Amino acid sequence: MRYVINRLGFFILSLWAAITINFILPRMMPGSPADAMFAKFQGQLTPAALDAMKKAYGIGQSTLWQQYIDYLHGLFTFNWGLSFMQYPTPVSDMIRGSLPWTIGLVGISTLLSVFIGTALGVYISWKRRGFLDNTLPVVSMIFQAMPYFWVALLFVFIFGFKLNWFPMAHGYDPAITPGFNGTFFTSILNHAFLPALTLLIGSLSGWIIGMRNNMMYTLGEDYVTFAEAKGVKTSRLMFSYAARNAILPQLTSFAIAIGNVVSGSILTEQVFSYPGIGNQLTSAVQSQDFPMIQASFLLIAVAVLVANLIVDLLYSRLDPRIRTGGE
């Protein structure tokens, strides 16, 4: 219980720090978002219009403390301001529309990568010095060494442009009316295949090699050797004895990977014009859409903190020594 309370306390403190830093950084920039937007119109708007814009975006003569209170109130009421790119669309509506696409694409790709990579790492470590053990890590590292955007461009050129097997952009066919039907879901899967494959093969190597190395170390432990000498079945020895302990270090990497699901793979979404939050964040930076940038960065920070909290609690269940301080 003490361990859980400490983890929760650290989570709350980290969350407050992330929220506060996210509030302070934009206000350290010279001028204001409304002034930056006003400058784009090159004097086409009147001073009254500028004042109205400042009021709409919550920028006024109030003190910094009052702005911080209003900022916290907006966070907890999901009033994250209005977008500059799509004025007067609320930022929360834009995130609500793009976040499911990123979670669906990057989340499923990440889970598949973790599951496949971990399973392959367990298998090749058990069959060490075999054909797969000698070739699979090397081949997967070659793909991981390639930049995501380069692999994405290669897939677009070969499978989209040359072979015309898969669409090259968007999340679904614009000619299809969105709805809960087979045609729409088939179009989504068809458009998501290439970006998902790009993310999958780009991250697979880390999980394979990480799990293989952890298994090799665990298989050399005395308790595994003793269990093998007692005649424990191979399947139980591999999973219950070796893999269960070898997978613990993977959880830290898994927490980071799950936390990064919200941010998505920005360049991959950009190449495929995928309607996720990564592509939207890129457009927001180019358009100086400060409310959208601020909300996106905060969402990414919260996702990483929540993922780390969940994994910390799960880690304590898998390894009781964590709760007892290693005693």
Side-chain angles (χ1 to χ4, degrees):
M1 178 59 75
R2 183 178 179 181
Y3 174 82
V4 174
I5 294 175
N6 289 337
R7 292 293 90 194
L8 288 174
F10 179 77
F11 169 77
I12 293 173
L13 180 62
S14 301
L15 181 61
W16 171 80
I19 290 174
T20 303
I21 292 173
N22 196 50
F23 167 80
I24 293 175
L25 286 180
R27 286 160 177 79
M28 295 177 64
M29 300 177 64
S32 69
D35 292 333
M37 177 60 68
F38 182 76
K40 295 181 179 181
F41 290 96
Q42 299 179 350
Q44 297 179 14
L45 297 180
T46 63
L50 175 61
D51 292 337
M53 184 180 295
K54 288 183 176 182
K55 185 176 180 181
Y57 288 109
I59 303 171
Q61 301 300 323
S62 58
T63 63
L64 187 64
W65 174 252
Q66 183 59 47
Q67 293 180 36
Y68 184 63
I69 297 299
D70 295 338
Y71 166 76
L72 292 179
H73 180 266
L75 286 181
F76 291 111
T77 57
F78 296 97
N79 181 17
W80 297 344
L82 304 177
S83 170
F84 286 174
M85 293 187 298
Q86 303 181 21
Y87 181 84
T89 305
V91 170
S92 57
D93 290 350
M94 295 177 62
I95 291 179
R96 193 180 299 116
S98 61
L99 190 58
W101 292 99
T102 294
I103 292 178
L105 173 65
V106 187
I108 294 176
S109 300
T110 300
L111 291 177
L112 286 175
S113 179
V114 173
F115 178 78
I116 296 174
T118 301
L120 289 175
V122 171
Y123 180 78
I124 65 176
S125 65
W126 191 259
K127 302 290 184 180
R128 52 188 177 276
R129 298 186 183 90
F131 174 76
L132 287 179
D133 188 33
N134 292 327
T135 58
L136 191 59
V138 177
V139 173
S140 63
M141 286 183 66
I142 292 175
F143 281 102
Q144 188 172 18
M146 299 177 184
Y148 276 103
F149 70 91
W150 189 86
V151 177
L153 289 171
L154 187 65
F155 282 172
V156 167
F157 178 75
I158 296 176
F159 299 108
F161 181 73
K162 285 292 186 180
L163 300 177
N164 198 27
W165 288 356
F166 298 97
M168 295 183 289
H170 308 303
Y172 61 93
D173 189 348
I176 297 177
T177 302
F180 290 95
N181 53 73
T183 303
F184 179 62
F185 285 116
T186 301
S187 179
I188 290 177
L189 293 176
N190 197 31
H191 282 73
F193 182 81
L194 287 183
L197 183 62
T198 302
L199 298 174
L200 178 63
I201 65 174
S203 58
L204 197 59
S205 176
W207 300 108
I208 294 176
I209 296 176
M211 191 62 189
R212 176 190 179 276
N213 294 340
N214 294 337
M215 281 288 293
M216 296 290 287
Y217 176 80
T218 305
L219 289 172
E221 294 288 341
D222 293 339
Y223 69 89
V224 177
T225 304
F226 181 72
E228 187 175 10
K230 287 178 60 179
V232 176
K233 291 194 302 184
T234 300
S235 58
R236 185 182 178 190
L237 184 66
M238 184 168 61
F239 293 105
S240 300
Y241 283 78
R244 180 178 179 181
N245 292 283
I247 203 173
L248 292 177
Q250 294 281 86
L251 289 178
T252 303
S253 300
F254 181 66
I256 298 174
I258 291 297
N260 289 334
V261 165
V262 175
S263 62
S265 183
I266 296 177
L267 292 179
T268 301
E269 290 187 1
Q270 188 79 3
V271 170
F272 290 98
S273 297
Y274 200 78
I277 197 169
N279 190 25
Q280 196 169 70
L281 179 58
T282 304
S283 300
V285 172
Q286 294 173 347
S287 304
Q288 294 184 334
D289 190 347
F290 296 103
M292 182 64 197
I293 296 171
Q294 190 172 7
S296 299
F297 283 152
L298 180 60
L299 196 64
I300 294 170
V302 171
V304 173
L305 290 174
V306 171
N308 276 277
L309 175 64
I310 294 174
V311 171
D312 280 343
L313 298 179
L314 181 61
Y315 209 119
S316 67
R317 296 294 300 176
L318 295 176
D319 190 352
R321 292 174 297 178
I322 299 297
R323 301 194 301 268
T324 59
E327 297 177 2

